[in-house]
Amino acid sequence: MSSRLLRVALWGGGALLLVALALGWYLRGSKERHWRSLAAGGTAGMAALLDELAREAAPSACADAFEHDVAQRRTLHASGAPLQDEARAQMRLGLDLIKLGDPLAAAEELERATQAAARDASLPPNFHRELALARATAWLRIAEVENCLDCCNGASCLAPIEPAGVHQKPRGAERAFAEFLALVESDPGDDDSRWLLNLAAMTLGRWPDGVPEPHRLAPERFASDAPFPRWRNVAADCGLDTRSIAGGAIAEDFDRDGCLDVMTSAQGLRDPLRYYRNDGAGRFVERSREAGLDGIVGGLNLIHGDYDNDGFPDVLVLRGAWLKEGGRLPNSLLRNRGDGTFEDVTARAGLLSFHPTQTACFADFDGDGWLDLFIGNETWSESAPHPCELYRNDGRGGFVECAAAAGVDVQAYVKGVCAGDFDDDGRPDLYVSCRERSNRLFRNEATRAAPGWRFVDVTERAGVARPRASFACWFFDYDQDGRQDLFAAPNAGFGNTPDDVGKFLFGKPTASDRPVLYRNLGDGRFEDVAPQLGLDRAILVMGANFGDLDNDGFEDVYLGTGNPSFRALLPNRMFRNDGGRRFLDVTTAGGFGHLQKGHGVAFADFDDDGDQDLFHELGGQFPGDTFAHALFENPTQGARWITLELEGVRANRSAIGARLALELETPAGPRTLHREVGTGGSFGSSSLQQEIGLGDATALRAVTIRWPGSGTVQRFVDVPLERRWRAREGEPALQPIERRPVTLGGAASGG
């Protein structure tokens, strides 16, 4: 070919490529315009848009499409047509059936795969091991479904399994035990299978003696670091034991009747948002349809705050996490109308965008008295950027996006974000937790008088870039010195097995990332004190939050664990803060070690008895990995407490970002407690009312409130203990709130 012809051909090929790209951009733009037109129709329009997106979704994103894909595979297999690489095809179908929620059919397909593999001499040895793992996984899930789901009680799935949690239908655990035993005998270094072998023995009531000594997990590996009262899962008694896959959770008084309600989401594109109204007598009644939430589906996480300052908490639903380009889904801003109903105002408020995310935070970043919003989006590759978004509240019911102008348009696989005033200058700063990249800390330099917003990246000086596989994060004052510290936890991977956790359980060294607890040094720098304080453990963290378990005034840490693998059955972990000196693992003693995948976590005083209970949304990624929610009732007695409801006037109505100092008299002398108002961790949304344990305090000499944005400082002296109070910005006295404790799942106790 002549050089002239070659140039023409190259030019023609380039032109065709440009035309194809232009056509792709046009079609995508046209589709997005259609989506925006639908979303402009409020709740009904958003419901129609979400339905359309679900119908177009890839199998990995939607249960309906996934079921259709599996059905096609089953039809092909049942036809008797010859299959290339039959054993592998049968194994893939079996694994998909587990994900879909039919482990019995999966076990049958995997048995056929085993027979096909026996006839195929070309298969490598590692395939036979993968197939054995698949069989063991199917039988383990059969055991869970037949016992922990179909015959659930308060002891189900709590590690180590106690007699009340032993499986009454043992066939699944028997087969799983046999499969895992063969696996570990062929490879004693497979610590994941060793752990699951021990777990199967627990469910059969044969642990530890029924496990061969070389593979046995010693009971002391579950020993708590200190005694702790046993908490009881009362979700079934209260009407909160709905089954779900992975999702978010909010605890808040949405209807302002004085009782804390619950809202949950689930990741599936057709999974409903659920609103449970607290009836004031210890039970929760689902009112999702009555609340106007029909069709508002999906969402791996939820957060809340009063964005329009009308006194009623609003909700943001976050969608598209983990789905890469398939996660180009809209979030939903649900305005609380104050009459028991919500309306989708996403488009009207200027928040409609199409990025995968699971994390966001409300804060008044510019101090104008209105909550702004930062959303951490997931950029999987540089060729498909999804920058983070920062929305300034215009004070008229709308938001204006300004992330790039403010310097926080981070492009990373963001899995957690949190706001907190680490430098105590009255402006909320921002921490962005990233997967496989350095985390980022941004110092807020915005002021009400400044023409534009400005955040400065201070990560390097602060020394807070780890962990590498970062996930949940939050600011809190763990040592009560008046400075906001920073916690960040890793999740070792998406779709991987938890082998490092198995190694940790058996006392072996691991190379995985560990949680970090950055102590604020007060000069713009932090130091990681997790190793000294007992938090440097191999834990696959997902949903997580903090609260005060024992009303001693020091906030404790609860970590939901797991990853999408059906073999990721790991105890969720509870760490008691021992006066800022150490975090003690009290998982087993307190009964917190639930084995199911841990997502939305919310601390709240649901029974109005002065201590915080714990709601946990449980379930995995796939349609077949469902489990019932848990509500752990706090049995604490004897410690003093106070509950404060804050209402901003010049500050934002939710009082998010307000700083509290409580000056106590105790038998050991004066002591001061510190709090910053917020919803807690980046995966779960706790109540905004301040439920503060006072330990052995004999008197509360003063409560000082520094209101965010407005700069108002108020001081209330000689406040009676064990009461509920409302603090309204600018009013000279606290107002009492009368509430009666109730028995969760029963009638009012009259206490």
Side-chain angles (χ1 to χ4, degrees):
M1 180 183 291
S2 69
S3 60
R4 184 168 180 268
L5 288 175
L6 179 61
R7 286 196 301 273
V8 170
L10 290 174
W11 182 90
L16 286 173
L17 177 61
L18 289 174
V19 169
L21 288 173
L23 180 60
W25 289 331
Y26 173 78
L27 291 175
R28 173 172 287 186
S30 176
K31 178 167 286 191
E32 191 163 308
R33 285 191 294 273
H34 168 62
W35 292 346
R36 290 183 179 279
S37 176
L38 283 177
T43 302
M46 179 60 77
L49 171 57
L50 295 173
D51 178 68
E52 181 173 307
L53 292 170
R55 282 188 275 110
E56 296 177 357
S60 61
C62 181
D64 287 354
F66 189 57
E67 186 171 356
H68 175 73
D69 188 64
V70 170
Q72 286 186 320
R73 287 196 196 186
R74 294 182 80 170
T75 300
L76 179 62
H77 283 267
S79 69
L83 296 172
Q84 186 177 13
D85 207 353
E86 182 180 3
R88 292 185 188 276
Q90 293 281 7
M91 186 173 76
R92 282 195 296 271
L93 176 57
L95 290 172
D96 282 348
L97 286 167
I98 299 173
K99 295 174 183 177
L100 187 60
D102 196 347
L104 271 173
E108 293 172 0
E109 294 293 344
L110 292 168
E111 183 57 38
R112 295 187 186 100
T114 302
Q115 295 168 7
R119 300 190 297 268
D120 190 345
S122 68
L123 292 169
N126 69 318
F127 174 80
H128 294 278
R129 185 169 188 85
E130 291 173 10
L131 184 53
L133 277 169
R135 291 195 305 268
T137 302
W139 284 107
L140 193 61
R141 187 58 185 171
I142 289 168
E144 291 177 90
V145 170
E146 293 184 341
N147 295 273
C148 304
L149 274 170
D150 294 345
C151 305
C152 186
N153 63 52
S156 297
C157 278
L158 292 180
I161 305 294
E162 296 185 344
V166 169
H167 290 186
Q168 301 303 301
K169 298 179 180 180
R171 65 167 179 168
E174 291 276 14
R175 289 291 299 271
F177 182 89
E179 294 282 5
F180 283 121
L181 181 59
L183 284 163
V184 298
E185 286 183 342
S186 65
D187 180 8
D190 181 357
D191 293 301
D192 180 13
S193 293
R194 285 181 71 202
W195 153 237
L196 294 174
L197 172 69
N198 281 264
L199 176 58
M202 289 180 199
T203 66
L204 293 166
R206 301 176 191 166
W207 180 81
D209 295 339
V211 179
E213 196 279 333
H215 312 307
R216 187 180 304 156
L217 180 60
E220 53 265 28
R221 298 300 300 177
F222 287 99
S224 289
D225 294 334
F228 200 76
R230 187 82 173 185
W231 290 37
R232 193 168 59 97
N233 181 5
V234 298
D237 301 328
C238 297
L240 283 174
D241 58 335
T242 306
R243 294 184 188 181
S244 174
I245 62 170
I250 297 174
E252 192 53 88
D253 181 5
F254 286 110
D255 54 5
R256 312 310 292 169
D257 67 349
C259 303
L260 294 176
D261 311 304
V262 171
M263 188 177 287
T264 65
S265 65
Q267 183 180 11
L269 299 193
R270 294 197 184 278
D271 291 336
L273 196 65
R274 297 186 186 273
Y275 169 51
Y276 301 90
R277 182 177 178 273
N278 188 332
D279 70 0
R283 292 186 57 82
F284 294 81
V285 180
E286 186 177 349
R287 304 282 294 175
S288 308
R289 172 165 292 182
E290 293 83 350
L293 298 176
D294 278 359
I296 304 301
V297 292
L300 186 55
N301 199 9
L302 303 169
I303 65 168
H304 72 289
D306 185 1
Y307 85 93
D308 55 359
N309 281 346
D310 67 351
F312 292 93
D314 310 299
V315 173
L316 183 72
V317 185
L318 297 153
R319 300 188 179 99
W322 295 118
L323 298 178
K324 304 181 183 178
E325 283 304 281
R328 289 172 53 84
L329 304 171
N331 300 318
S332 279
L333 179 63
L334 303 178
R335 179 178 174 269
N336 185 343
R337 288 171 164 158
D339 59 359
T341 68
F342 296 82
E343 61 174 331
D344 191 301
V345 296
T346 312
R348 191 171 79 206
L351 290 181
L352 185 65
S353 64
F354 299 90
H355 303 287
T357 183
Q358 71 175 44
T359 186
C361 63
F362 283 111
D364 183 4
F365 288 111
D366 60 353
D368 66 353
W370 298 86
L371 287 177
D372 311 301
L373 176 64
F374 182 85
I375 301 176
N377 293 320
E378 298 180 358
T379 294
W380 181 263
S381 70
E382 293 182 2
S383 62
H386 291 280
C388 293
E389 299 164 282
L390 176 62
Y391 288 97
R392 180 179 62 81
N393 192 324
D394 66 10
R396 299 186 298 274
F399 292 86
V400 178
E401 208 286 316
C402 58
V408 291
D409 55 334
V410 176
Q411 292 188 29
Y413 209 91
V414 176
K415 299 307 297 177
V417 297
C418 57
D421 185 7
F422 82 87
D423 54 0
D424 202 26
D425 66 353
R427 297 187 292 259
D429 309 298
L430 184 65
Y431 189 67
V432 181
S433 173
C434 306
R435 173 182 163 84
E436 302 306 328
R437 291 192 185 182
S438 295
N439 296 342
R440 310 276 292 276
L441 176 63
F442 294 94
R443 183 176 181 271
N444 183 356
E445 296 191 355
T447 65
R448 297 179 69 178
W453 288 14
R454 183 168 180 258
F455 287 80
V456 177
D457 189 331
V458 295
T459 310
E460 184 174 355
R461 169 169 165 72
V464 293
R466 296 176 36 247
R468 183 73 175 174
S470 198
F471 211 86
C473 61
W474 60 72
F475 286 99
F476 74 145
D477 186 359
Y478 85 89
D479 54 0
Q480 294 301 301
D481 65 354
R483 295 191 290 262
Q484 290 289 292
D485 309 301
L486 180 59
F487 176 83
N491 185 289
F494 185 69
N496 301 322
T497 57
D499 189 60
D500 264 1
V501 176
K503 286 182 169 62
F504 181 83
L505 287 169
F506 285 99
K508 294 182 177 181
T510 68
S512 65
D513 266 349
R514 308 295 180 88
V516 295
L517 177 57
Y518 291 115
R519 180 173 176 266
N520 190 334
L521 300 178
D523 60 358
R525 297 176 302 131
F526 294 78
E527 64 171 340
D528 180 17
V529 294
Q532 301 95 290
L533 271 63
L535 288 173
D536 59 332
R537 309 176 187 226
I539 306 175
L540 303 184
V541 178
M542 294 190 301
N545 217 322
F546 61 92
D548 188 355
L549 302 176
D550 51 3
N551 272 358
D552 68 347
F554 288 89
E555 290 170 306
D556 312 295
V557 169
Y558 185 61
L559 305 177
T561 64
N563 67 21
S565 168
F566 278 80
R567 297 197 297 276
L569 295 173
L570 314 166
N572 298 310
R573 307 287 286 277
M574 182 69 84
F575 294 91
R576 176 183 173 267
N577 184 344
D578 185 22
R581 298 179 293 271
R582 189 166 179 80
F583 283 84
L584 305 173
D585 189 330
V586 295
T587 302
T588 300
F592 300 109
H594 212 294
L595 291 163
Q596 297 298 319
K597 315 296 170 55
H599 287 90
V601 177
F603 284 86
D605 184 7
F606 290 109
D607 51 4
D608 289 318
D609 64 352
D611 52 41
Q612 292 188 308
D613 310 297
L614 174 65
F615 179 82
H616 198 180
E617 199 272 4
L618 298 163
Q621 179 205 9
F622 298 110
D625 201 3
T626 64
F627 208 78
H629 307 322
L631 175 59
F632 293 101
E633 182 182 20
N634 191 331
T636 296
Q637 294 182 347
R640 315 304 293 272
W641 57 272
I642 188 171
T643 297
L644 296 167
E645 293 185 8
L646 276 66
E647 181 183 325
V649 177
R650 293 174 58 209
N652 72 86
R653 188 77 172 262
S654 297
I656 289 175
R659 300 288 289 272
L660 283 71
L662 293 83
E663 301 168 33
L664 310 178
E665 288 290 343
T666 77
R671 171 188 173 197
T672 301
L673 296 179
H674 303 273
R675 293 289 187 273
E676 181 168 328
V677 177
T679 58
S682 60
F683 207 144
S685 205
S686 296
S687 167
L688 288 168
Q689 72 177 18
Q690 296 302 289
E691 302 151 347
I692 305 173
L694 306 178
D696 60 354
T698 56
L700 177 51
R701 293 303 181 201
V703 176
T704 300
I705 303 174
R706 292 162 51 196
W707 295 89
S710 66
T712 304
V713 178
Q714 289 179 272
R715 181 178 171 85
F716 306 97
V717 299
D718 295 328
V719 180
L721 305 179
E722 298 179 14
R723 297 284 302 275
R724 296 162 182 80
W725 302 96
R726 178 174 291 108
R728 190 169 190 268
E729 183 182 10
E731 291 191 355
L734 298 173
Q735 299 300 315
I737 301 171
E738 298 300 329
R739 291 184 192 161
R740 298 177 64 203
V742 300
T743 300
L744 289 175
S749 68

